[in-house]
């Protein structure tokens, strides 16, 4: 069985993420969407909330499992017995950092490949940071995130404005 891991913070999951995840799920027998803790960041959604959102929007994919991880992505890949790490590329500027990480991962675990997937052009401008900013000002999220994620973002920012 060919297993791959698709890591990210997914705070929140966007249509850009779902584009990469869906296409990777067609290539591999099993895809593990690995949600990172990112101790250096202050996420809007807790790890549990991000996992629930991903499970909700990916429920139609029988070969996808969503789980949390901390530490190095390559260690999570080894633990999951993954043959590949999936990385999405939106714009050319993403490539330099992703390439550096891929080379580092190759040094740490030469038997695990990094597979780069280019997002579709219609999603290339979408980032979780942009989505959170649009949501914070009450802008339309319809073309950026699935309805479930939009609903949870609205709830989060409603609470933030009430505090």
């Amino acid at each position: 069985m060919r297993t791959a891991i698709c890591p990210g913070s997914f705070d929140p999951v966007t249509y850009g993420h779902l584009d990469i995840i869906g296409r990777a799920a067609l290539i591999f027998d099993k895809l593990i969407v690995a949600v990172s803790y990112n101790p250096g960041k202050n996420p809007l959604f807790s790890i549990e909330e991000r996992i629930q959102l991903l499970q909700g929007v990916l429920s139609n994919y029988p070969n996808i499992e969503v789980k949390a991880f901390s530490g190095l992505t390559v260690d999570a890949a080894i633990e999951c017995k993954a043959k590949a790490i999936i990385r999405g590329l939106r714009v050319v500027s993403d490539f330099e950092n992703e390439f550096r990480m891929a080379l580092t991962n190759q040094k740490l675990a030469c038997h695990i490949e990094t597979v780069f997937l280019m997002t579709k052009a219609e999603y290339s401008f979408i980032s979780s940071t942009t989505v959170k900013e649009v949501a914070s000002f009450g802008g339309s999220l319809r073309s950026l995130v699935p309805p479930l994620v939009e609903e949870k973002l609205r709830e989060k920012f409603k609470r933030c404005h009430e505090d």
Side-chain angles (χ1 to χ4, degrees):
M1 176 181 282
R2 290 175 312 174
T3 301
I5 185 172
C6 185
S9 56
F10 306 105
D11 185 41
V13 61
T14 69
Y15 280 134
H17 293 128
L18 295 177
D19 172 47
I20 298 298
I21 291 167
R23 290 173 31 225
L26 295 173
I27 298 169
F28 292 91
D29 301 315
K30 181 177 182 181
L31 181 66
I32 298 164
V33 177
V35 184
S36 64
Y37 280 99
N38 282 352
K41 292 186 177 181
N42 187 19
L44 177 63
F45 291 99
S46 70
I47 193 90
E48 295 82 10
E49 290 171 316
R50 289 180 274 155
I51 289 171
Q52 286 175 349
L53 286 172
L54 280 159
Q55 288 171 333
V57 298
L58 295 172
S59 62
N60 292 333
Y61 291 91
N63 65 328
I64 293 180
E65 176 185 342
V66 181
K67 62 191 287 182
F69 83 98
S70 62
L72 296 174
T73 298
V74 73
D75 289 340
I78 291 167
E79 181 183 319
C80 295
K81 298 180 176 52
K83 302 267 188 249
I85 298 169
I86 305 297
R87 298 300 300 172
L89 298 173
R90 290 177 296 148
V91 291
V92 174
S93 59
D94 287 347
F95 182 75
E96 185 177 351
N97 186 47
E98 293 293 345
F99 184 65
R100 187 175 23 256
M101 284 193 297
L103 291 174
T104 302
N105 289 337
Q106 191 175 54
K107 281 288 188 194
L108 296 173
C110 63
H111 63 286
I112 298 175
E113 294 294 334
T114 298
V115 176
F116 295 109
L117 294 177
M118 297 293 300
T119 192
K120 291 180 181 170
E122 65 212 65
Y123 305 126
S124 63
F125 69 95
I126 302 174
S127 71
S128 293
T129 301
T130 301
V131 166
K132 288 185 278 195
E133 185 172 351
V134 171
S136 74
F137 289 105
S140 175
L141 299 169
R142 191 169 295 121
S143 63
L144 306 175
V145 297
L148 173 65
V149 178
E150 180 177 8
E151 177 186 327
K152 296 300 181 186
L153 280 162
R154 298 275 181 233
E155 288 173 12
K156 283 279 184 189
F157 283 105
K158 183 178 179 192
R159 274 188 251 135
C160 290
H161 293 302
E162 290 173 352
D163 292 344

